[in-house]
Amino acid sequence: MQTLDNLQYQLTAEEKQTFNETGILMIEDALSPEHVAALTAACDAITEKKFAEGADPKKALFYPNFIPDNPLFADLVDYEKIFPKVWGILGWNIYLYHAHLIVTPPSGQPVDDKTFGWHQDSGRVNIEMESHPRPRLSLKVAYFLSDTSEAGRGNFWVVPGSHLWDTLDRPSDGIGQPEGAVPVLAKPGTAVFFDRRLWHTASPNWSDITRKVLFYGYGYRWIRTKDDMTVQSLWDSSDPIRRQLLGWGVNANGHYTPTDDDVPLRVWLRENCPEAAV
Ligand SMILES: O=C(O)CCC(=O)C(=O)O
């Protein structure tokens, strides 16, 4: 829920500069250890269910549309310490277009140096939208539940500053990572913002610590959902701003030309932080 208190977590000028220049922003201790423990238990419950249903426990589990599975996941959609930075970057005509959790168990394989699966987000958008640099459109916030503060733990990897590049040079022999690539060293409780255009990848987990991360994708309300996003059942129990973020709107036209009813976030900002309501 948005309260005046949350304004203390607004995007700072320094954070804005970091995000604009590098395409990534790390907020350490975004989640308390107790919060991490509760989210981990919720995440483990999903993993156990998926294993019971036949998922391979040795392979990474990619599980989209996890928000309806536990109220703790829905509570992060407008999380007080993080959400003000989301509207600080994207503005108010936004919603959660996509969410997935990824659990990466130890691979049990020897360390190798194969080139990882580098990509920008959004698939065909990168081909069909004519512009250079590509438009930002969306970002993800990744909440790290497990400790990836050392390399080799299934880290999220990025090439800082590559969000303005349309292509990425990869090693032609499939060995090694692109120039400038680094593992993101995130402790449990860290929230990592990344621009959808940032060249990034998952990596194998050569450690004995299972990696657990929750990804929240925010984008403009005229972007389609990228997974089933069956969050409509949460609308009635959500306050108006969360309901906006969960995809509610008055009608289709309001995704393009929103009225105040479509975007209670704008109404709230107009009252409490007018410079962000423009
Ligand atoms: O699992 C990871 O570290 C990478 C996730 C990813 O590529 C994405 O969310 O687009």
Side-chain angles (χ1 to χ4, degrees), residues 9-182:
Y9 299 112
Q10 272 188 85
L11 191 73
T12 65
E14 197 184 337
E15 288 168 347
K16 187 174 183 175
Q17 187 179 358
T18 300
F19 192 72
N20 282 343
E21 288 179 5
T22 67
I24 184 166
L25 174 67
M26 290 177 71
I27 308 294
E28 289 195 345
D29 301 319
L31 305 170
S32 68
E34 297 74 29
H35 204 165
V36 169
L39 288 163
T40 302
C43 179
D44 290 348
I46 292 174
T47 315
E48 275 155 35
K49 183 162 172 275
K50 288 284 145 195
F51 290 161
E53 287 170 5
D56 183 346
K58 295 202 189 77
K59 289 206 174 131
L61 175 72
F62 171 80
Y63 180 68
N65 194 23
F66 67 94
I67 304 295
D69 283 37
N70 191 303
L72 287 177
F73 297 143
D75 287 344
L76 281 187
V77 170
D78 54 3
Y79 180 45
E80 58 179 11
K81 288 190 176 170
I82 293 302
F83 183 57
K85 300 186 196 302
V86 176
W87 55 252
I89 295 170
L90 291 177
W92 45 262
N93 192 33
I94 57 173
Y95 83 121
L96 192 78
Y97 82 102
H98 179 38
H100 55 243
L101 71 78
I102 302 185
V103 173
T104 316
S107 70
Q109 300 297 312
V111 177
D112 65 43
D113 199 19
K114 286 190 195 130
T115 308
F116 306 145
W118 291 93
H119 63 279
Q120 292 178 307
D121 279 344
S122 321
R124 294 292 301 176
V125 168
N126 297 315
I127 295 159
E128 290 161 0
M129 190 162 261
E130 311 132 312
S131 78
H132 172 79
R134 292 179 172 144
R136 177 179 281 156
L137 300 178
S138 66
L139 59 80
K140 281 187 187 141
V141 180
Y143 292 97
F144 283 76
L145 304 182
S146 62
D147 189 352
T148 61
S149 61
E150 289 177 25
R153 295 184 174 180
N155 303 66
F156 178 58
W157 277 64
V158 299
V159 180
S162 63
H163 55 306
L164 303 181
W165 305 350
D166 294 347
T167 55
L168 181 72
D169 285 338
R170 299 162 174 83
S172 54
D173 56 1
I175 303 295
Q177 307 312 323
E179 207 180 317
V182 291

